[in-house]
Amino acid sequence: MAELEGVYFAEFDNTMGPKVTYEAPRGLINPEVFDAISECIIPKPWLFGRMMSTYAFGKTYLGMPVNLEGAQYERNRMLFNVGIVLHPSRRNHSSEVAVYEPVIRKIAQTLEALEAETCFLSDESMKVKLGDVLEKVLTGLRKHSKAVVPIDEANILHLVLNPRQTSQPVPNVREHDVPVPLCDLRRHVASEKDLVLRRIYPCIDGVRFIKQVAEMADVDTELAIDCVAGLVCQDLVRLVDIFQYSNIYATTKDVGRIASDPALRDKCLETILDPAVRKSMTTNELFSLYAALRPGLRYEDFCLTRESKLVGVHRRRLITFGLVNGLIRRVLPYPLHIPLPGESNISQLIAQEKMDAQAGNQLKTFELSLMDGKKSLDELCCIVRERGPAELAEAIAAHPRCILVYK
């Protein structure tokens, strides 16, 4: 695990240039080192708003530079960076560093919000509190892998660095993933002081994908993604794909656990059966349902041909339980647009779009430009936001130069 050496707040002073204003502990970054890496701490404008990791002098400097624009600032902008200094356990340390990214992002976004609401950073009498805040953040993360730091009477900074994260990569959480609770989240989360977490957890129901959760809770999508990533690392939720009856599923090598693991089988039956309609199902019947899922078979067709066997079975839960426990996997569709010869730039795409519209093809230029075979149908729907997976898949099927590649 990378050793956390300290936390810093740097900014661009209009007289002195880049400088470290607050750091914990004091002397964390000596002047010679800062002079050498200052362009990475307060970088060029196009690098602001991104997580930046700099490896220099045997240490890693991880931060998220922020650019705030407004007439109230000298030169119409305020530039700052909040970050940490790590001593990695090895040179190839990307997974160790990535563990800390949600913490840095949350601190930066909190300071940005406080500046917008109360001028926290531009008011020197308020900004001076940062020194104490950074000390408490450092102490909390070092000793307890979390920090609860009051900033003022109305705002508390709540950070969690789960110990399990230190031995595994940070999960790749996407806005179109569906978080499925593995327990009663209220018991684990309701007492948390993290306001974002408290707002999103009631919206996590195993059906809504993360972008919908964020919109329903009225929080920023990136903050929701960070919170869900923390829940995944704590093994409180698992991520699955958006459920559609048009989806295709296939079994994994672990599907046999339904027959060999009685506890898993009983939990599955408890989850998928409606006791008012059906109270039991044999192991063979349950195994045969999962074993019948295969590439090329849409789930709606699977259900239509097995209506009698699915009486009293919650059809969505059958799939969700299988995905969460690794018994089945989603066979994902990846839209691919095959352009005509010479159809390589936007103007040609727009011209072709008009011809397609006249021919009844409903895909837009923007949608076609995204169909490179690398983005799944779910991901495209989150980007486009104008139609759901079923509608978009129907439009793709009707387009003469678009196909769905399943893998």
Side-chain angles (χ1 to χ4, degrees):
M1 174 186 175
E3 179 186 351
L4 176 60
E5 294 199 356
V7 190
Y8 66 85
F9 174 86
E11 62 185 329
F12 184 86
D13 185 278
N14 291 304
T15 302
M16 301 172 59
K19 69 171 186 175
V20 176
T21 308
Y22 300 103
E23 56 186 341
R26 293 182 181 180
L28 174 68
I29 307 177
N30 68 53
E32 292 78 12
V33 170
F34 185 74
D35 287 344
I37 64 171
S38 61
E39 290 189 358
C40 300
I41 304 297
I42 304 294
K44 300 297 182 183
W46 54 84
L47 294 175
F48 280 84
R50 304 181 182 184
M51 194 67 60
M52 292 189 63
S53 176
T54 304
Y55 186 82
F57 305 102
K59 299 178 182 180
T60 296
Y61 299 81
L62 179 68
M64 185 172 176
V66 177
N67 174 23
L68 302 179
E69 298 183 351
Q72 70 271 32
Y73 304 124
E74 191 174 348
R75 300 187 184 181
N76 296 321
R77 64 176 54 187
M78 170 187 285
L79 310 177
F80 72 87
N81 188 347
V82 60
I84 59 176
V85 180
L86 299 169
H87 186 70
S89 62
R90 61 188 188 278
R91 181 64 182 88
N92 183 18
H93 61 287
S94 58
S95 61
E96 291 185 349
V97 172
V99 167
Y100 292 90
E101 290 184 1
V103 170
I104 296 302
R105 184 178 292 110
K106 188 169 187 179
I107 298 174
Q109 291 172 338
T110 299
L111 293 179
E112 184 176 353
L114 286 173
E115 170 62 18
E117 295 171 3
T118 66
C119 300
F120 182 82
L121 298 176
S122 51
D123 186 335
E124 293 296 330
S125 65
M126 300 178 70
K127 186 171 72 173
V128 71
K129 297 178 182 178
L130 264 179
D132 185 54
V133 168
L134 297 185
E135 289 280 359
K136 292 179 179 178
V137 166
L138 177 62
T139 300
L141 293 180
R142 273 182 169 176
K143 291 186 176 181
H144 310 292
S145 295
K146 65 179 181 180
V148 180
V149 184
I151 297 178
D152 55 30
E153 293 181 357
N155 295 280
I156 296 176
L157 182 62
H158 187 91
L159 307 171
V160 176
L161 182 64
N162 192 279
R164 294 186 56 178
Q165 290 178 287
T166 60
S167 59
Q168 61 185 26
V170 175
N172 179 27
V173 182
R174 304 158 299 181
E175 62 182 22
H176 57 277
D177 286 329
V178 178
V180 179
L182 300 180
C183 59
D184 183 358
L185 289 180
R186 179 176 53 187
R187 295 176 57 188
H188 293 269
V189 177
S191 62
E192 294 279 359
K193 293 181 173 60
D194 185 333
L195 297 182
V196 175
L197 195 54
R198 293 182 66 179
R199 291 181 71 168
I200 72 166
Y201 89 82
C203 306
I204 296 176
D205 60 356
V207 177
R208 302 183 185 95
F209 53 88
I210 291 177
K211 191 160 188 175
Q212 289 177 324
V213 169
E215 291 174 352
M216 186 173 182
D218 194 24
V219 302
D220 180 77
T221 302
E222 287 298 320
L223 288 177
I225 287 175
D226 287 344
C227 284
V228 171
L231 295 176
V232 171
C233 288
Q234 297 175 64
D235 209 25
L236 298 178
V237 304
R238 297 270 173 83
L239 301 176
V240 301
D241 298 299
I242 297 171
F243 176 83
Q244 298 281 329
Y245 277 97
S246 57
N247 288 353
I248 296 175
Y249 300 95
T251 57
T252 70
K253 61 182 179 61
D254 291 329
V255 69
R257 292 172 55 210
I258 280 292
S260 63
D261 187 341
L264 180 68
R265 179 199 61 213
D266 293 345
K267 182 65 176 176
C268 180
L269 294 175
E270 179 186 344
T271 301
I272 69 171
L273 293 184
D274 181 355
V277 179
R278 185 171 185 172
K279 298 185 182 299
S280 65
M281 176 184 286
T282 67
T283 300
N284 286 340
E285 288 174 328
L286 179 59
F287 179 80
S288 66
L289 283 178
Y290 279 120
L293 295 167
R294 64 180 186 276
L297 178 65
R298 296 190 306 173
Y299 189 55
E300 60 182 331
D301 297 325
F302 169 90
C303 294
L304 286 173
T305 56
R306 291 166 178 79
E307 284 194 1
S308 61
K309 297 180 179 180
L310 290 171
V311 172
V313 176
H314 195 294
R315 300 179 184 191
R316 181 195 293 272
R317 291 180 184 172
L318 177 69
I319 293 299
T320 300
F321 187 90
L323 291 172
V324 165
N325 290 279
L327 308 177
I328 61 175
R329 66 178 181 87
R330 168 96 179 275
V331 182
L332 284 168
Y334 290 82
L336 176 63
H337 172 235
I338 305 171
L340 292 171
E343 187 182 292
S344 58
N345 58 47
I346 294 298
S347 61
Q348 290 170 327
L349 280 173
I350 293 173
Q352 187 61 47
E353 179 187 338
K354 294 179 180 178
M355 296 173 60
D356 288 340
Q358 294 173 355
N361 301 324
Q362 300 301 314
L363 292 172
K364 298 180 181 179
T365 302
F366 174 63
E367 294 171 326
L368 292 173
S369 68
L370 295 171
M371 296 180 185
D372 56 4
K374 298 178 181 179
K375 301 178 184 67
S376 70
L377 187 68
D378 292 353
E379 187 176 357
L380 255 64
C381 288
C382 275
I383 296 173
V384 176
R385 297 293 291 162
E386 292 182 1
R387 39 181 149 193
E391 183 183 352
L392 186 56
E394 184 178 342
I396 291 170
H399 197 286
R401 295 183 310 285
C402 290
I403 59 173
L404 286 174
V405 180
Y406 287 87
K407 52 186 177 181

